[in-house]
Amino acid sequence: MNKIAYAQDFARVLTHIQQARQKAYTQVNTTLIELYWHIGGIISQKVGEQAWGKSVVSELAQFIANNDPTAKGFSDKNLWRMKQLYETYQGDEKLSSLVRELPWTHNTIIFSRCKTAEARAFYLHLTIQDKYSSRELERQIDACMFERTTIGNQKLSAVLRELHPRIDSTFKDNYVLEFLGLPQTHSETHLQAALVQNMKQFILELGRDFIFIGEEYRLQVGNQDFYIDLLFFHRGLSALVAIELKIGKFEPEHIGQLNFYLEALDRDVKKPHENPSIGVLLCSDKDDEVVEYALSRTLSPTLIAQYQTQLPDKKLIQAKLHELYALSIEAQEMQS
């Protein structure tokens, strides 16, 4: 038996070990979260009946420590968190089932930092789907991922929605690139180089389904060469995504260049089973009214997004989200 055959068998054995380990970890985690849920329910009930207060919960923590020193994670602070977990999700079967799929640390981050059911649902789904570490999850909350994704969904063109019905939550109106460490004044060359050097963090900001194909991607049309700043493939949408970088304010003429690249991609690069290519113009500033006018007559699946090199002001972006909600409600009332 040759070494190649041995290697294949060894790899198969290792896969079984890793799958069994993951299954065991998942079962242990589910059991642990269910335990925390039940303890949180008991504490919630006792506190609601005014039978227990802070001192009683502290006594409970001490009782557990004295009678089972091997039991870890049952400090009075953690017991109160279990109560918060239970009270946050009780009555919501859909979200409470998702809670059991995540480690305790991830759950505490979500229910302690997210103030609405919509935000909690968003981060629960996203963390399970993209398998975020606790650090990555915190970064996404710091960067207002929920708010920016929701705002971005409101501005997707009809063409994009028609060509890609599953496009919701894929693109954002604003991308946060604080991890680049760029000064406020920088060139497009520096921006592109920094994105390539920090591709792991950039894909985390874009979304895990994005696969980086290359920078300065060459397109040959006629006897001329053209270059796309960054080219990606999105697995969920099964489409090429061309990203053009502009360090200045959005100008309507930028769309013509990007549309040309999309046409070349669809004719010469896209495979028959793939969907039409998508263009993202990433600029440092844009006037939303100018963007609306520029996109109103185009049939190209193009998105105009803004980037910033610092974490957003959460209050400002939440105010913008509330404004969109108010406009949406007003529009619904006018139609009814």
Side-chain angles (χ1 to χ4, degrees):
M1 202 170 185
N2 59 41
K3 289 186 177 181
I4 294 178
Y6 281 137
Q8 292 173 342
D9 290 338
F10 292 172
R12 193 176 301 116
V13 171
L14 179 59
T15 298
H16 286 309
I17 294 171
Q18 292 170 337
Q19 289 175 343
R21 184 186 297 158
Q22 181 60 38
K23 184 178 180 180
Y25 170 78
T26 301
Q27 291 173 340
V28 169
N29 181 72
T30 300
T31 301
L32 184 66
I33 300 301
E34 286 179 350
L35 171 63
Y36 289 175
W37 177 274
H38 290 307
I39 292 175
I42 293 171
I43 296 174
S44 178
Q45 179 185 354
K46 293 297 182 182
V47 171
E49 295 170 352
Q50 298 184 339
W52 287 13
K54 287 185 178 181
S55 61
V56 177
V57 174
S58 296
E59 289 178 20
L60 172 60
Q62 192 59 51
F63 177 84
I64 295 171
N66 292 339
N67 289 273
D68 188 354
T70 63
K72 304 298 181 183
F74 297 95
S75 64
D76 55 346
K77 186 177 181 180
N78 226 23
L79 291 173
W80 285 113
R81 284 182 179 144
M82 295 173 201
K83 172 179 175 291
Q84 187 179 357
L85 172 76
Y86 175 80
E87 291 177 348
T88 298
Y89 297 108
Q90 64 170 325
D92 192 329
E93 293 184 8
K94 187 176 181 180
L95 292 190
S96 62
S97 64
L98 294 178
V99 162
R100 289 160 169 78
E101 296 185 41
L102 291 179
W104 179 237
T105 301
H106 291 66
N107 274 309
T108 58
I109 291 170
I110 292 173
F111 70 67
S112 65
R113 297 195 57 186
C114 299
K115 306 307 179 186
T116 66
E118 292 82 5
R120 289 190 289 269
F122 176 86
Y123 286 113
L124 284 169
H125 282 289
L126 196 65
T127 304
I128 292 169
Q129 172 188 302
D130 288 350
K131 296 180 173 57
Y132 285 149
S133 67
S134 58
R135 179 179 295 182
E136 289 171 340
L137 172 59
E138 288 201 282
R139 189 267 167 189
Q140 297 293 37
I141 295 175
D142 288 339
C144 301
M145 170 71 89
F146 165 67
E147 292 85 355
R148 291 186 294 118
T149 301
T150 304
I151 291 170
N153 284 346
Q154 308 302 315
K155 299 179 180 178
L156 293 177
S157 69
V159 175
L160 267 176
R161 289 190 182 279
E162 184 178 343
L163 291 174
H164 301 280
R166 296 186 299 162
I167 204 168
D168 279 346
S169 302
T170 302
F171 296 101
K172 296 181 280 292
D173 184 57
N174 183 280
Y175 289 89
V176 178
L177 310 176
E178 89 291 348
F179 51 84
L180 299 181
L182 287 171
Q184 190 164 358
T185 302
H186 53 268
S187 67
E188 288 177 6
T189 301
H190 289 151
L191 174 61
Q192 182 174 325
L195 288 171
V196 173
Q197 290 171 4
N198 295 272
M199 187 53 64
K200 181 179 179 181
Q201 292 94 323
F202 187 38
I203 287 180
L204 177 64
E205 172 66 7
L206 290 173
R208 290 281 173 85
D209 264 359
F210 283 87
I211 299 172
F212 181 52
I213 295 178
E215 61 174 320
E216 294 296 317
Y217 188 86
R218 178 174 168 269
L219 297 170
Q220 187 174 19
V221 179
N223 294 321
Q224 298 183 59
D225 290 335
F226 301 88
Y227 298 90
I228 299 172
D229 288 341
L230 300 170
L231 184 63
F232 292 83
F233 183 80
H234 191 278
R235 293 173 59 206
L237 300 176
S238 188
L240 293 164
V241 179
I243 297 182
E244 278 296 290
L245 307 172
K246 301 294 180 184
I247 61 169
K249 195 169 187 176
F250 165 73
E251 299 293 344
E253 54 263 31
H254 294 157
I255 292 182
Q257 179 188 31
L258 189 52
N259 286 346
F260 176 81
Y261 290 162
L262 296 183
E263 184 68 19
L265 285 173
D266 283 350
R267 289 195 188 196
D268 303 328
V269 181
K270 181 180 79 69
K271 296 184 183 299
H273 66 278
E274 293 172 354
N275 291 314
S277 304
I278 298 170
V280 177
L281 188 67
L282 194 58
C283 50
S284 62
D285 191 16
K286 63 185 175 72
D287 184 314
D288 287 339
E289 192 169 358
V290 173
V291 170
E292 182 185 349
Y293 273 55
L295 293 178
S296 63
R297 290 179 179 268
T298 180
L299 297 178
S300 178
T302 304
L303 174 77
I304 312 302
Q306 188 172 338
Y307 75 88
Q308 60 188 87
T309 55
Q310 293 181 338
L311 288 173
D313 184 320
K314 201 172 186 73
K315 290 182 179 179
L316 287 177
I317 200 166
Q318 285 179 340
K320 195 171 183 180
L321 181 61
H322 290 320
E323 182 182 339
L324 278 174
Y325 282 151
L327 290 172
S328 177
I329 293 172
E330 183 180 335
Q332 290 174 7
E333 289 176 347
M334 291 177 65
Q335 291 176 357
S336 61

